[in-house]
Amino acid sequence: VPIVVLGPGAVGRALIGQILAQRERHRSRLGVRLAVLAVADSRQAVLAAEGEIEDPQLVSLCEAKARGEPLPENGDVLGPDDWLEAVDELADVAPIIVDTSAADTTAVLLGARARDWRLVLANKVPLTGRYSAFAMLTRNGRGARWETTVASALPVIATLQTLLDVGDPVRRIEGTLSGTLGYILSRVDADIAASAAVAEADAMGYLEPDPRTDLSGLDAARKALILARMLGHPLELAALSPDGLYPAEWDELSVDDFRARLPEADAALAARSVAAREEGRVLRYRAVVEDGAVQVGLAALDPRSPLGRAGATDSVVVLTTEHYRANPLVISGRGGGPAVTAAGVLGDILSLVRDGG
Amino acid sequence: VPIVVLGPGAVGRALIGQILAQRERHRSRLGVRLAVLAVADSRQAVLAAEGEIEDPQLVSLCEAKARGEPLPENGDVLGPDDWLEAVDELADVAPIIVDTSAADTTAVLLGARARDWRLVLANKVPLTGRYSAFAMLTRNGRGARWETTVASALPVIATLQTLLDVGDPVRRIEGTLSGTLGYILSRVDADIAASAAVAEADAMGYLEPDPRTDLSGLDAARKALILARMLGHPLELAALSPDGLYPAEWDELSVDDFRARLPEADAALAARSVAAREEGRVLRYRAVVEDGAVQVGLAALDPRSPLGRAGATDSVVVLTTEHYRANPLVISGRGGGPAVTAAGVLGDILSLVRDGG
């Protein structure tokens, strides 16, 4: 099965490592061999000279990217306009394009779909642009998977997809969808200043280069939007107004100025955490999709509720449907980390090919 | 997509009803049409005269079975030796055989697999006979699904399958896998006699005709065996010794005699429940698969643990793997009922065909 990997970042490199390490398992369990035909970053694509990129070259390519170098040349090196066509000529059957980047890859992905390539996305950005692109990329899950765009590899998307396919009406989706904010709020709950918790999260590699991606609620809002769109609501990202953990006018600052001013926001968040505790509640960053509306923000929750009792770095999603009404369907567990996400992406690829496709 | 339904019991009839009711959804979302070619019970099969069984005939066939009557004739009525061949001649492409019965259908299912039919099972019996039959029927999930054999439609099997495919080592599986025993233990916990709780469960339709199927732990043991076999352990059912809720020698009694003597077992179970509560614990019927061994039986658990805090009729499964080590993957929710199970079976069928297969 030919594979094209977009975005050789931490997740993409972990994915390539797992593909190489698990080859024998894929063969013996599923009779499948995943062959990497091309690896592309935002500037260019490296294509196999013929057949597939050889394992040693894949390894050295990943090592170069890990050192911050550009993609090394292998066979052909092509810009984004040319490489879809070149890969199509190289492949015997339509490849699976796997997007582990965090860039706006909508154009290239739509080009791949127009060529009937199958799609696996860990990248939320192309699914949270225009609704029409979401519909064209996902096609209700026909030849497409995007499990790790929400709660990493936890089986949230696959489960929701099945509920939608069988026609069990989904009444409400509630979840803690940001491991980063979950961690920060757990530290604030332990009376650590929010800015210090942000620094800790940064040191552990949880944060984007611009921490506002998480702290503004944008990342959680993108996940909630994907869930809402799956339910058939043609919402746009601009219509969502997630609670940020800092004053909105700080969006105008440079990243350095933003980081410098962050301690000014500590007192307000600490006060909300204390107020929640005084009511016997716990502060969580929650997304709710219900009645066609999306709410993303801070909520003081019952500590015995599924979201309230979850560990700091757990993601939790609660699906309330006609069938799961009195006893909602709850999925929880570790919701992040490059190796876990890469395993989820690999699971999506194998799910597409398991039945001989 | 041609479908053959084995076992027009409550689940099978609910499945046929959902197939008919959701036709437009399947067409518009997935471009799929499910056509019922044959319905078989343990004595015979009714085949479509040509193409598929017409909707009104499907409905009247289900109505007849619901009244306890035999399958009415439609086109051909054939015994088990002849109908696989007849269906193969009738179908353009290999059908999906869907087993919602509770009988030992191993022979007919192996025949279907030998003809390269795909397989969806809600029936635990053929997966808990000889290990070699399990392996031939399931083929690691290639062209086969059996989600509802464990915890009804909760996405336990699909999730475990993905973890196994990607090579995330599964260290431990723990779950409450019997809604019936969960209900009975919750009533005992409320100081209701176990025999009275069994009568309640019976009145709600939770029990098999012979209540020992549940009360012996056999049903839970079959589920645990399916999970253990998926992990690669070639165990046989006879090697498992689940805790029964009554003395083992009562297995020799007639069903009526068994029911008459059931109150004699009340005191022992009440004492275990009281002892658990005195230790601040809660009594659950638990299955554990770990280190190649399976344990199925009563356990006094922390009420804050995933299994301890679950509602009486919830099923809960906790998967501990290399990736989900500190934060295990937990799936919980309603784990039974014909409509929920039928929806899970339909989800399995659509999962097989979603990608154009």
Side-chain angles (χ1 to χ4, degrees), chain A residues 285-305:
Chain A
Y285 201 84
R286 177 181 66 164
V288 180
V289 181
E290 188 169 24
D291 295 330
V294 178
Q295 288 182 326
V296 181
L298 291 165
L301 301 177
D302 184 332
R304 290 158 305 180
S305 66

Side-chain angles (χ1 to χ4, degrees), chain A residues 208-249:
Chain A
E208 303 287 318
D210 185 343
R212 285 172 292 197
T213 306
D214 287 304
L215 301 179
S216 66
L218 173 62
D219 185 70
R222 286 191 192 275
K223 294 170 181 169
L225 182 64
I226 291 169
L227 297 174
R229 285 176 164 184
M230 286 181 69
L231 298 193
H233 307 304
L235 298 170
E236 296 296 337
L237 190 59
L240 274 58
S241 37
D243 283 349
L245 301 191
Y246 57 86
E249 57 268 27

Side-chain angles (χ1 to χ4, degrees), chain A residues 48-84:
Chain A
E50 56 178 332
E52 64 184 287
I53 304 180
E54 303 287 336
D55 292 2
Q57 286 163 317
L58 274 176
V59 171
S60 70
L61 177 159
C62 287
E63 287 170 351
K65 287 298 289 189
R67 289 189 302 264
E69 297 168 11
L71 282 174
E73 286 191 35
N74 172 34
D76 297 317
V77 179
L78 295 167
D81 291 336
D82 300 316
W83 67 259
L84 286 176

Side-chain angles (χ1 to χ4, degrees), chain A residues 27-282:
Chain A
R27 189 195 61 73
S28 63
R29 275 184 71 82
L30 302 174
V32 162
R33 187 172 196 287
L34 303 180
V36 180
L37 246 66
V39 177
D41 63 14
S42 52
R43 289 194 319 282
Q44 61 183 28
V46 176
L47 269 61
E50 56 178 332
E52 64 184 287
I53 304 180
E54 303 287 336
D55 292 2
Q57 286 163 317
L58 274 176
V59 171
S60 70
L61 177 159
C62 287
E63 287 170 351
K65 287 298 289 189
R67 289 189 302 264
E69 297 168 11
L71 282 174
E73 286 191 35
N74 172 34
D76 297 317
V77 179
L78 295 167
D81 291 336
D82 300 316
W83 67 259
L84 286 176
E85 178 67 29
V87 170
D88 248 350
E89 283 170 19
L90 197 63
D92 295 333
V93 296
I96 299 175
I97 187 164
V98 181
D99 185 358
T100 62
S101 79
D104 185 355
T105 52
T106 308
V108 74
L109 295 178
L110 287 173
R113 278 307 238 177
R115 292 166 186 277
D116 264 333
W117 294 14
R118 289 177 290 178
L119 199 68
V120 171
L121 299 178
N123 183 4
K124 292 178 285 291
V125 175
L127 295 187
T128 53
R130 294 171 61 97
Y131 177 80
S132 56
F134 171 89
M136 282 188 281
L137 293 175
T138 58
R139 291 187 198 165
N140 295 319
R142 297 171 71 180
R145 301 286 189 274
W146 55 97
E147 186 58 83
T148 58
T149 60
V150 175
S152 186
L154 290 178
V156 173
I157 300 295
T159 301
L160 182 56
Q161 190 70 49
T162 300
L163 295 170
L164 293 168
D165 285 347
V166 303
D168 182 11
V170 178
R171 308 289 186 211
R172 178 184 168 93
I173 305 175
E174 180 184 45
T176 56
L177 303 179
S178 170
T180 308
L181 294 183
Y183 176 78
I184 291 168
L185 290 179
S186 77
R187 298 297 284 162
V188 171
D189 194 44
D191 293 319
I192 310 290
S195 57
V198 170
E200 291 173 358
D202 213 4
M204 290 185 289
Y206 284 3
L207 285 178
E208 303 287 318
D210 185 343
R212 285 172 292 197
T213 306
D214 287 304
L215 301 179
S216 66
L218 173 62
D219 185 70
R222 286 191 192 275
K223 294 170 181 169
L225 182 64
I226 291 169
L227 297 174
R229 285 176 164 184
M230 286 181 69
L231 298 193
H233 307 304
L235 298 170
E236 296 296 337
L237 190 59
L240 274 58
S241 37
D243 283 349
L245 301 191
Y246 57 86
E249 57 268 27
W250 292 5
D251 280 336
E252 312 301 323
L253 302 176
S254 71
V255 172
D256 286 345
D257 288 349
F258 172 79
R259 287 178 181 272
R261 292 196 63 177
L262 198 49
E264 296 173 33
D266 286 348
L269 197 58
R272 290 198 66 163
S273 175
V274 168
R277 274 178 277 167
E278 282 172 353
E279 292 173 351
R281 293 182 160 254
V282 57

